[in-house]
Amino acid sequence: MDYLDNLNEPQLEGVMNTGGPCMIIAGAGSGKTRVLTMRIAHLIKAKGVDPFHILALTFTNKAAKEMRDRIEGVVGNEARNIWMGTFHSIFARILRAEGGKLGYPGNFTIYDTEDSKSLIKSIVKEKGLDDKVYKPNTVLNRISAAKNRLVSWQEYLSNPIYLADDESAMKPEVGNIYRIYADRCFKASAMDFDDLLFNTNILFRDHLDVLNKYQQRFKYVLVDEFQDTNLSQYLITKKLAAVHQNICVVGDDAQSIYAFRGADIQNILNFEKDYADLRVIKLEQNYRSTQNIVEAANSVINKNRAQLKKNVWTQNTQGDLIEVIKATSDNEEGKLVASTIFEERMHHQLSYTDFAVLYRTNSQSRAIEEALRRNNVKYKIIGGLSFYQRKEIKDILAYLRFAINQHDEQALRRIINLPKRGIGPASVDKVVVAAYEHDMSIWEVLENIHSFISGRTANAIADFVTMIKAFKLEIERKDAFEAATHIAKNSGILRALYEDKTIEGLNRYENVQELLNAIKEYVDNPENEDKTLGAFLQEIALLTSVDQDNNEDNELVTLMTIHMAKGLEFKYIFVVGMEEDLFPSQMMLTSRADLEEERRLFYVAITRAKAKLYLSYALNRYRFGRLKNCEPSRFLEDIDPQFIKVNRLFKGSEANNFNPVGQVQGTHSRYAKNLVNSIRKTSGPTSQNYHKPGKDFIPSDTSGLTEGMKVEHAKFGFGVVTMMDNLGANRKAKVNFENFGEKTLLLSFAKLKIHDS
DNA sequence: TTTCTGTACTAATCA
DNA sequence: AGTACAGAAA
């Protein structure tokens, strides 16, 4: 049993005691993943448990994959059969199989946050409400919070407390928006992220046969990062484990940082009450960090009131003191971080992969990136605007989604006029109204468009429907890669991007090629059994940002938010932007609970560091394009001063000398841009040199217009027709004007008087 | 219906 | 510093 070697006593206990309910409280860096993986390996290898009977829930696909790989190292191929994945992906899988009982087809779409927000936006608009009051973000958060507490729209609308809350927030219509939102999602055969958990709860509540099936199947249930579960997730796991009672949760209350999406720290604090025979194991020895870092972290977290008693300690060396860097501006902060990374790496012969820069908000990455680039330090960013959130990628994905599910309203709105095919928002509204009036689905109206509207738009819509039907067939007959390539080409999207020869256009074209490559890779990967487009879409809909990290071996500094860094470790950690209103965020200062969550976030940041921790702040920072004064964060004072080396001072010259490129920073580009704008404003034709037509100016019928005719335009004056374009829906004429040169005019709009007969 | 342009607003964290 | 939106012009 060599996999049991090198485990300390509580770790061993966590691995060996596999029967009955168990909670493992694991301090930062105490080897909790190791315990969890070895526990599963032990179940399979020593206890002879069939991997099909084990359910292990994690928060990222990456964590799941890592655990699976490590288990595979002990038990071999069998590890593939464990039900292991994120809450969302496991229950999406179950809902694909069982969702029919709730009225959802197996090919339901998963709406991402952008889809949800734009749906809410259109509902607010349709109801004629003020979109300044009903901001999509606010409304969605409210709906999301309700779903995470398992409050349906019916319960929401009949609960006087919620209604009073909304009333006092001057948003009395939120409940009704929730009702319409839920209805529209259902009609679109779509579930948002919260629905995946909400509907699983409904499924298990209303269909006991289904619940029973999965209760029998999952003899062992394990949950990682338990402190981050919300009520919805908690109830699912509790229900699934109710028959066999073999539930093991692993977590650290000090690292609970997802209250904003409904995570409830009470789940971990109250777990003991739920299970009378609960075995509690505490992992308190930290193997990751130096003594200084561990104790500095302890001194911070002790400022919080709500926590379980535990004592994290380490046998590691004392290590360096924490250093605080003070910068005058966010640009200088970036520069100091870059130069420090450069020096430390040289001095200690480290790899760039040993460094990570952590920040509170994604927008802070820009200044750091710029400085790293200037100093030729290669870096990678985790999270932020990810590949799959790019517009051109989402456009293609919307086509794929719609070809699979014609009820997907958000995908339809995205693609129906992309590339431009003459179906503008006015036409889309007509279709939606028609669908509403005749109690039909939008797709049914589109299919029979000639019974509702006529003319050019109707033809364009009919062509669109024909195209989608062809794509449908393609998907049924071919694998994901062939189908996606066909759709990208025949939808006209690829061509439109190809014709855009700007740098951004080129990039976008390459991104789409990259997406197709990714699909090819997916199809070629033998681990993926289901090679349909639907399976691929499901996979990427539930990708977590940490998962999209495919160049791990390169010499790169890692940049990410503190949230993304949870569960990771680096030798050197830089936490930047240690300023009031930024970290802690000004939005978290309203209650003690919020501030404590923010402090736990700081605790997570500190405990990522193995060898050395740098904290930095700037006295001035650009926000919304304006320079703002900043104060050092209160969290700096939370650290016991004995672990801090007080302000490491950089002389201005030292920092400047480091810059090997020596470019002038600051407002230069802004200034240049303003200059260009002002030039553009003062040049070009202004209203006074436009032609003034005589009083008898009456536009002629231009249907007989031909080349060589002399015409008068209301603004451009006299000119000669040089070329006619009678092709396509819009007739165009090229006219060479005496005072304004050659212009292309759309004849359905341009008012021309013909002076040639 | 489409395209261009000025401006108003924004950025908290994630699946 | 970006971008989403409204309004004008074509």
Side-chain angles (χ1 to χ4, degrees):
Chain A
M1 297 289 173
D2 50 350
Y3 62 91
L4 296 175
D5 291 350
N6 302 318
L7 292 173
N8 68 27
E9 204 169 299
Q11 285 177 332
L12 209 53
E13 199 189 343
V15 172
M16 306 287 281
N17 288 293
T18 51
C22 172
M23 174 160 76
I24 301 175
I25 301 295
S30 63
K32 102 192 138 87
T33 309
R34 188 142 173 249
V35 171
L36 206 48
T37 51
M38 291 311 128
R39 185 183 174 99
I40 296 171
H42 187 69
L43 278 173
I44 296 170
K45 204 163 181 183
K47 305 267 168 131
V49 176
D50 186 335
F52 280 110
H53 292 153
I54 300 173
L55 172 67
L57 298 164
T58 61
F59 271 76
T60 64
N61 295 300
K62 193 183 182 191
K65 189 178 182 308
E66 263 174 31
M67 275 171 59
R68 198 190 292 276
D69 287 348
R70 279 161 82 164
I71 296 169
E72 203 169 346
V74 180
V75 308
N77 267 343
E78 271 194 294
R80 285 199 189 175
N81 300 329
I82 305 166
W83 281 70
M84 179 143 56
T86 63
F87 274 91
H88 289 87
S89 66
I90 293 279
F91 296 117
R93 186 170 155 191
I94 290 179
L95 285 169
R96 294 244 181 250
E98 316 282 353
K101 301 200 167 55
L102 302 177
Y104 284 92
N107 66 357
F108 66 82
T109 303
I110 297 172
Y111 273 178
D112 66 13
T113 312
E114 205 186 322
D115 296 319
S116 300
K117 278 188 205 160
S118 82
L119 176 52
I120 288 173
K121 203 185 239 176
S122 35
I123 293 171
V124 167
K125 207 171 172 186
E126 286 160 26
K127 278 179 71 82
L129 297 167
D130 184 353
D131 58 357
K132 300 266 190 306
V133 178
Y134 294 94
K135 291 186 181 153
N137 237 331
T138 321
V139 177
L140 181 61
N141 282 341
R142 190 91 179 133
I143 294 173
S144 169
K147 283 187 190 163
N148 287 329
R149 273 174 291 153
L150 296 187
V151 177
S152 65
W153 65 262
Q154 291 93 336
E155 289 163 302
Y156 193 103
L157 280 174
S158 59
N159 187 325
I161 298 173
Y162 297 129
L163 299 181
D165 272 3
D166 288 338
E167 197 77 44
S168 65
M170 309 292 278
K171 298 179 179 61
E173 288 299 310
V174 169
N176 279 317
I177 299 174
Y178 183 9
R179 173 176 56 83
I180 299 168
Y181 174 80
D183 180 56
R184 290 276 275 273
C185 283
F186 183 74
K187 285 201 175 120
S189 296
M191 297 196 201
D192 66 16
F193 290 132
D194 303 314
D195 286 334
L196 294 173
L197 306 171
F198 183 88
N199 286 331
T200 302
N201 270 295
I202 304 294
L203 179 72
F204 288 163
R205 184 196 67 193
D206 295 348
H207 299 274
L208 294 179
D209 52 324
V210 179
L211 172 65
N212 193 259
K213 179 164 101 189
Y214 289 99
Q215 280 176 332
Q216 295 302 334
R217 175 173 301 169
F218 300 133
K219 297 199 165 71
Y220 291 87
V221 177
L222 301 98
V223 184
D224 193 13
E225 307 281 12
F226 186 63
Q227 75 281 356
D228 290 328
T229 51
N230 57 37
L231 181 68
S232 188
Q233 294 166 317
Y234 179 60
L235 291 178
I236 292 172
T237 43
K238 208 173 141 185
K239 258 189 183 168
L240 282 175
V243 169
H244 296 287
Q245 294 272 317
N246 294 319
I247 181 168
C248 173
V249 301
V250 186
D252 178 5
D253 58 305
Q255 295 185 61
S256 164
I257 54 174
Y258 282 105
F260 71 89
R261 72 173 201 222
D264 191 350
I265 199 169
Q266 294 303 321
N267 288 347
I268 200 165
L269 297 175
N270 292 337
F271 202 67
E272 281 179 291
K273 289 178 204 155
D274 290 346
Y275 294 94
D277 54 341
L278 179 72
R279 182 193 299 272
V280 179
I281 298 166
K282 286 187 185 178
L283 306 180
E284 296 179 310
Q285 184 176 357
N286 175 305
Y287 293 94
R288 178 187 294 154
S289 312
T290 64
Q291 267 182 46
N292 278 331
I293 290 169
V294 168
E295 290 184 21
N298 284 342
S299 72
V300 168
I301 203 67
N302 280 336
K303 301 276 192 301
N304 274 8
R305 280 186 203 157
Q307 56 182 314
L308 294 176
K309 201 82 208 118
K310 74 174 153 320
N311 173 38
V312 180
W313 60 282
T314 186
Q315 281 182 344
N316 292 344
T317 57
Q318 182 144 33
D320 288 347
L321 290 172
I322 295 166
E323 292 196 37
V324 176
I325 298 176
K326 171 183 172 180
T328 52
S329 70
D330 50 357
N331 287 327
E332 197 199 26
E333 180 184 49
K335 218 183 325 182
L336 293 174
V337 168
S339 62
T340 309
I341 290 176
F342 193 85
E343 283 165 19
E344 291 276 21
R345 175 174 169 270
M346 283 303 185
H347 197 236
H348 297 105
Q349 275 144 38
L350 297 164
S351 150
Y352 279 133
T353 50
D354 291 323
F355 296 87
V357 182
L358 310 182
Y359 35 79
R360 178 68 236 269
T361 67
N362 280 306
S363 56
Q364 288 167 258
S365 71
R366 194 172 302 278
I368 308 288
E369 283 180 70
E370 204 169 300
L372 291 176
R373 233 179 293 132
R374 271 212 181 115
N375 293 310
N376 295 319
V377 176
K378 293 249 173 66
Y379 63 88
K380 63 176 168 183
I381 296 189
I382 313 274
L385 220 189
S386 79
F387 181 73
Y388 288 106
Q389 289 172 309
R390 287 168 204 267
K391 186 188 171 296
E392 63 274 19
I393 300 303
K394 292 205 71 171
D395 289 342
I396 296 269
L397 292 177
Y399 263 102
L400 306 182
R401 266 166 57 176
F402 193 70
I404 289 175
N405 169 14
Q406 287 81 40
H407 298 294
D408 187 337
E409 181 188 338
Q410 295 306 309
L412 174 67
R413 283 178 185 274
R414 239 192 138 90
I415 63 171
I416 191 161
N417 200 27
L418 194 104
K420 299 273 148 63
R421 45 174 78 90
I423 311 171
S427 307
V428 174
D429 284 349
K430 267 187 218 162
V431 169
V432 172
V433 168
Y436 182 77
E437 279 176 355
H438 296 84
D439 195 26
M440 295 167 82
S441 76
I442 294 176
W443 175 245
E444 282 169 331
V445 173
L446 292 179
E447 272 187 303
N448 304 292
I449 193 66
H450 289 296
S451 345
F452 297 95
I453 53 176
S454 55
R456 223 183 304 170
T457 316
N459 290 331
I461 288 177
D463 289 348
F464 175 76
V465 169
T466 312
M467 181 178 74
I468 295 296
K469 284 183 174 166
F471 292 169
K472 241 174 108 174
L473 285 179
E474 203 71 19
I475 287 174
E476 279 162 22
R477 290 183 191 155
K478 306 225 170 105
D479 73 26
F481 174 69
E482 287 170 13
T485 311
H486 177 92
I487 292 173
K489 278 187 187 152
N490 292 281
S491 61
I493 283 212
L494 212 50
R495 176 187 297 263
L497 287 175
Y498 184 73
E499 280 164 5
D500 181 356
K501 295 294 182 194
T502 60
I503 298 169
E504 300 85 39
L506 226 58
N507 259 329
R508 281 194 279 268
Y509 184 76
E510 278 168 13
N511 285 336
V512 172
Q513 293 296 349
E514 206 176 308
L515 171 68
L516 293 174
N517 288 341
I519 300 178
K520 177 86 180 135
E521 248 171 63
Y522 177 84
V523 170
D524 290 346
N525 186 345
E527 273 179 39
N528 299 318
E529 283 162 26
D530 188 346
K531 305 214 185 285
T532 62
L533 202 50
F536 175 79
L537 288 185
Q538 146 104 353
E539 171 122 339
I540 58 167
L542 297 174
L543 267 190
T544 53
S545 320
V546 211
D547 301 330
Q548 299 167 33
D549 180 10
N550 39 21
N551 43 4
E552 280 178 57
D553 306 322
N554 292 346
E555 260 282 283
L556 302 170
V557 174
T558 306
L559 272 58
M560 62 186 142
T561 64
I562 304 169
H563 283 87
M564 304 257 58
K566 197 171 65 151
L568 306 179
E569 58 178 34
F570 296 86
K571 265 192 190 142
Y572 279 65
I573 290 284
F574 292 79
V575 185
V576 300
M578 294 295 305
E579 294 141 36
E580 280 297 292
D581 289 350
L582 186 60
F583 192 27
S585 158
Q586 78 268 23
M587 308 184 87
M588 290 296 253
L589 296 173
T590 46
S591 75
R592 181 173 182 94
D594 282 348
L595 184 64
E596 294 209 345
E597 167 139 327
E598 209 66 355
R599 192 179 277 117
R600 289 193 295 273
L601 191 58
F602 186 43
Y603 176 80
V604 168
I606 298 173
T607 52
R608 298 310 96 198
K610 293 203 266 192
K612 183 145 187 185
L613 177 67
Y614 281 95
L615 306 172
S616 69
Y617 63 93
L619 297 172
N620 298 285
R621 178 176 298 277
Y622 275 103
R623 280 182 114 177
F624 304 126
R626 282 180 185 285
L627 204 56
K628 288 256 170 73
N629 286 342
C630 311
E631 280 174 49
S633 167
R634 68 187 73 188
F635 288 155
L636 290 170
E637 289 160 30
D638 283 349
I639 307 171
D640 187 330
Q642 61 169 307
F643 303 116
I644 300 184
K645 185 159 145 189
V646 182
N647 294 357
R648 171 175 168 160
L649 292 174
F650 285 83
K651 287 182 192 119
S653 59
E654 191 189 331
N656 283 341
N657 283 345
F658 174 73
N659 181 351
V661 183
Q663 276 176 351
V664 182
Q665 286 197 35
T667 55
H668 189 82
S669 61
R670 244 182 302 278
Y671 175 72
K673 205 171 170 184
N674 285 338
L675 201 66
V676 170
N677 278 338
S678 65
I679 289 170
R680 192 165 52 185
K681 266 179 198 160
T682 50
S683 67
T686 50
S687 52
Q688 64 250 30
N689 27 356
Y690 278 136
H691 168 73
K692 288 211 179 70
K695 280 199 180 121
D696 58 337
F697 182 85
I698 301 159
S700 315
D701 173 20
T702 54
S703 58
L705 200 69
T706 54
E707 286 167 28
M709 284 180 167
K710 192 178 174 195
V711 293
E712 182 186 1
H713 183 269
K715 263 188 183 167
F716 299 137
F718 296 96
V720 176
V721 179
T722 56
M723 206 207 280
M724 287 299 299
D725 178 4
N726 289 314
L727 297 170
N730 299 313
R731 284 178 72 231
K732 283 171 243 171
K734 247 187 200 171
V735 179
N736 194 9
F737 289 102
E738 286 167 13
N739 297 323
F740 292 85
E742 196 165 69
K743 302 240 175 233
T744 305
L745 305 173
L746 216 54
L747 291 177
S748 49
F749 291 101
K751 302 203 171 11
L752 290 176
K753 182 176 180 184
I754 300 174
H755 284 266
D756 192 321
S757 52

